[in-house]
Amino acid sequence: MKRFHLRKISLLMAVVTLTSSCASIHQAGQDYGTAIGCIGGAALGGGLTYLITGDAKKALAGGLIGGVAGCAAGNVWQSREKALAQIAADEHIAISTRPLQADENSSKKTVGLVAQVEDNGMFDTNSAQLSTNGLRQVRKIASAMKAGNQDGVILVVGHTDATGNPAWNQRLS
């Protein structure tokens, strides 16, 4: 009976996760990132340990270690999402994040984070240089993204405004 309920809950969580939008994932990170990390880490650590060893006592220890590691990772995620949300609110911009994927030849799959900012004022018209506001925004975002992840990579990609000749704008970008 317990196994049946666990399967139902797992299926429901998978469906909700797969059908959720990125915005709700960011909101979940802001509100529950630490808890999600703790629970996920404990489940993963305990589950993998039990699958490998078949020993419930070792699985308990694996769950504890996984939970601690998951709590730490979840706390970094929650703190970062809250900081980025605060920056977005303060600067009146939209920020979305996603993992920065390594190239095919790398042994690591994810090497950092990408923050995409939707704001028309980051660049002055007819310029590839960040505006004063844009530079301030990029510095705030870089500071928030770097917190807790000193080894990560931050990718900055800029696009100029849409005024003027498209060929010239592409060259500026």
Side-chain angles (χ1 to χ4, degrees), residues 16-86:
V16 169
T17 300
L18 293 173
T19 59
S20 294
S21 69
C22 289
S24 64
I25 291 171
H26 292 297
Q27 190 63 48
Q30 286 178 46
D31 297 339
Y32 308 109
T34 302
I36 292 169
C38 292
I39 293 167
L44 192 60
L48 287 176
T49 303
Y50 187 76
L51 285 174
I52 293 169
T53 67
D55 186 336
K57 288 182 181 180
K58 289 180 180 177
L60 185 60
L64 183 61
I65 293 168
V68 169
C71 285
N75 190 29
V76 169
W77 176 37
Q78 185 170 5
S79 297
R80 181 179 294 132
E81 289 295 337
K82 282 184 174 183
L84 290 173
Q86 186 62 52

Side-chain angles (χ1 to χ4, degrees), residues 83-100:
L84 290 173
Q86 186 62 52
I87 293 167
D90 292 347
E91 297 289 334
H92 307 289
I93 56 177
I95 303 173
S96 61
T97 58
R98 65 177 172 80
L100 176 60

Side-chain angles (χ1 to χ4, degrees), residues 94-125:
I95 303 173
S96 61
T97 58
R98 65 177 172 80
L100 176 60
Q101 302 298 321
D103 66 12
E104 300 160 357
N105 301 326
S106 176
S107 61
K108 291 175 77 177
K109 290 187 178 189
T110 302
V111 294
L113 289 171
V114 176
Q116 182 172 343
V117 179
E118 294 180 31
D119 179 45
N120 293 332
M122 290 192 81
F123 294 91
D124 291 326
T125 301

